[in-house]
Amino acid sequence: MTDEPTVLYDLSAGVATITLNRPRAYNAFTRQMHAELMDALARAEADPAARCLVISGAGKAFCSGQDLNDLPPDVDFGALLRERYNQLALKLQALPKPVLAAVNGVAAGAGMSLALACDMRVAAAGARFVAAFANIGLVPDTGMTYLLPRLIGYARALELCMLGGTLDATTAHSYGMVNVVATAEEFPGAVRQLAERLAGGPTGALGLIKRGFALAQDATLERVLEYEAELQQVAGAGAEYAEGVAAFRAKRPPRFQ
């Protein structure tokens, strides 16, 4: 453990920015960083002023995955995943607010999985996504085998993971894995623009949209249709819908609270 925080938290204009803060280790995961990241996610979820989350990395990297120096020689990988990484992936997917990965540099191994578990991704032009597990004799984890094929297709995902390959930001964008690619100079502004747009949206409805898309990954059409009806009933009874309709009729931008 170190007294220096491994995760930084900032809230401004409705955007909670969570920064992985181990730049000398390329923001590799430790037990401490896992705990602090989960605390930061819970803090943003509970704060009504936080309407969008941004996860990024300090220094040159986004996240280089697990810090192998933080593991004992006889590590139980199954227990490690169940205790930390599985909970992280589930938390990100279930958060009822939009989560944006600001991939400022390399995202490798579980760091790549972290980016995939977010709702959207903005990548700096020099960022790289590295499916590094096979390179050290391991298998993809933290949800990569579930999320990556759904973003780029089965064949591309399997090839990337079996070869321990790398995607540059432009290729990742062309595959549909990244929403926006920006130059180093434009990157902070591009992240902020998308984050503030999400933060200005109907947070409750966006959370319901996440739930609908999550269920639809593996459900029948009949179940999806019924769940859409259930979610729409909740959304239609809320203040966001009332404000949206009022704004539409008044021909003004909506002011969601």
Side-chain angles (χ1 to χ4, degrees), residues 119-133:
D119 301 314
M120 297 184 190
R121 285 149 291 280
V122 176
R128 293 176 295 121
F129 298 86
V130 188
F133 298 95

Side-chain angles (χ1 to χ4, degrees), residues 25-48:
Y26 299 102
N27 302 315
F29 277 112
T30 61
R31 175 182 289 274
Q32 178 181 351
M33 195 166 88
H34 264 288
E36 292 183 10
L37 177 56
M38 293 296 286
D39 286 347
L41 293 174
R43 177 180 175 183
E45 181 178 9
D47 187 352

